[in-house]
């Protein structure tokens, strides 16, 4: 859904204006997930038979082990976190910079924490994710250019009508200038559904095709496989 965030769209324009980056940093330390019951009514389905749930979990475990390989199957939980929490970060990273040429380094830095260094044609990209207990949402992309810096800060995804803000640092004559471009009060989920409807009803070209998700899935596997071996 972040592809449809108006603040992200503005940020992409500013990143393009920077030219070839000197470095990239993609960061996502999620805030607390136990605060949203006050915002939304949640209904947990309880009518699925226990044996069906168990069979489903076993099938997922087998598919994850097959994807990661025996030597890295011990990272199963971290891999699932990467596909859950950071699927959004892999997507917006691809939307801004494409798919990296290689994974230079990757390591698990905590029970629910990962750090990786990616290579975009000689441009280093630091990627880190973690579960945290923040009372805020800490998710952003920071691009260092030759003369300018661009930072896209994403809002809490559970808040309605809150789009990303873009922070710029640039030259103003012989001094520095910093400014913030506020996000438009719109929600990426609504814009995503509108685009989906346009694809179905008017034949619009999908902005987020299956091929993009498969590329992100491949990158997630490459990140895990770049870590030291860890068997189940």
């Amino acid at each position: 859904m972040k592809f449809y965030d108006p603040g992200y769209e503005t940020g992409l324009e500013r990143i393009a204006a920077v030219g070839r980056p000197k470095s990239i940093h993609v960061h996502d330390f999620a805030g607390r997930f136990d605060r949203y019951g006050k915002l939304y009514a949640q209904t947990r389905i309880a009518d699925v038979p226990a044996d069906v749930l168990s069979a489903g979990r076993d099938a997922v475990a087998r598919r994850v082990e097959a994807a990661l390989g025996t030597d890295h199957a011990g990272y199963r939980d971290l891999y699932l976190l990467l596909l859950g929490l950071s699927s959004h970060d892999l997507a917006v990273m691809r939307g801004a910079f494409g798919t990296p040429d290689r994974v230079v380094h990757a390591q698990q830095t905590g029970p629910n924490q990962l750090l990786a260094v990616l290579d975009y044609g000689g441009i280093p990209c630091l990627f880190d994710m973690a579960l945290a207990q923040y009372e805020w949402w800490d998710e952003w992309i920071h691009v260092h250019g030759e003369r300018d810096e661009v930072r896209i800060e994403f809002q809490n995804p559970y808040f309605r009508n809150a789009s990303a803000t873009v922070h710029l640092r640039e030259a103003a004559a012989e001094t520095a200038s910093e400014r913030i471009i506020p996000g438009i009060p719109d929600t990426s989920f609504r814009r995503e559904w509108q685009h989906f409807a346009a694809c179905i009803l008017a034949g619009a070209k999908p902005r987020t095709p299956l091929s993009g998700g498969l590329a992100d899935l491949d990158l997630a596997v490459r990140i895990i496989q770049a870590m030291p071996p860890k068997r189940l």
Side-chain angles (χ1 to χ4, degrees):
M1 77 288 193
K2 285 184 167 57
F3 269 64
Y4 305 89
D5 187 315
Y8 174 66
E9 293 173 347
T10 300
L12 290 184
E13 296 174 358
R14 297 295 173 172
I15 289 173
V18 165
R20 179 178 171 85
K22 296 179 74 66
S23 70
I24 303 163
H25 189 175
V26 180
H27 172 90
D28 187 359
F29 278 22
R32 294 181 60 162
F33 286 94
D34 59 350
R35 300 299 196 209
Y36 310 124
K38 297 177 181 178
L39 300 175
Y40 304 96
Q42 299 176 338
T43 302
R44 296 189 179 275
I45 305 303
D47 60 351
V48 181
D51 59 333
V52 174
L53 288 174
S54 179
R57 294 190 185 100
D58 290 343
V60 168
R62 289 193 299 271
R63 292 183 65 181
V64 169
E65 185 172 357
L68 300 181
T70 304
D71 288 344
H72 292 83
Y75 292 109
R76 180 178 60 194
D77 291 343
L78 189 66
Y79 173 67
L80 292 175
L81 180 62
L82 183 59
L83 295 187
L85 171 65
S86 283
S87 60
H88 310 290
D89 305 298
L90 298 181
V92 297
M93 191 160 49
R94 172 173 47 84
F97 313 109
T99 301
D101 297 331
R102 63 192 181 102
V103 180
V104 179
H105 171 79
Q107 68 181 97
Q108 182 172 7
T109 51
N112 297 299
Q113 188 171 348
L114 176 153
L115 181 144
V117 179
L118 312 175
D119 175 35
Y120 281 94
I123 302 170
C125 173
L126 180 65
F127 168 68
D128 58 341
M129 69 154 198
L131 293 180
Q133 292 296 308
Y134 298 152
E135 295 293 347
W136 58 91
W137 203 263
D138 188 22
E139 182 181 15
W140 42 263
I141 296 176
H142 196 113
V143 178
H144 296 261
E146 188 66 41
R147 295 175 54 85
D148 309 316
E149 293 180 24
V150 179
R151 183 184 183 98
I152 305 174
E153 292 197 354
F154 294 99
Q155 302 298 312
N156 189 317
Y158 292 91
F159 291 174
R160 292 187 177 94
N161 301 320
S163 63
T165 58
V166 180
H167 298 245
L168 302 176
R169 180 178 292 175
E170 52 199 347
E174 296 183 356
T175 187
S177 173
E178 296 187 28
R179 58 194 176 104
I180 298 175
I181 303 175
I184 298 172
D186 198 353
T187 193
S188 56
F189 291 104
R190 187 181 71 86
R191 299 176 86 228
E192 182 179 25
W193 277 109
Q194 288 176 327
H195 176 69
F196 178 74
C199 291
I200 300 299
L201 300 175
K205 182 179 179 180
R207 293 177 56 188
T208 48
L210 178 62
S211 58
L214 293 175
D216 297 341
L217 185 65
D218 175 70
L219 176 56
V221 171
R222 287 195 286 148
I223 289 173
I224 295 297
Q225 291 180 338
M227 297 183 180
K230 183 180 180 182
R231 291 173 172 261
L232 282 174

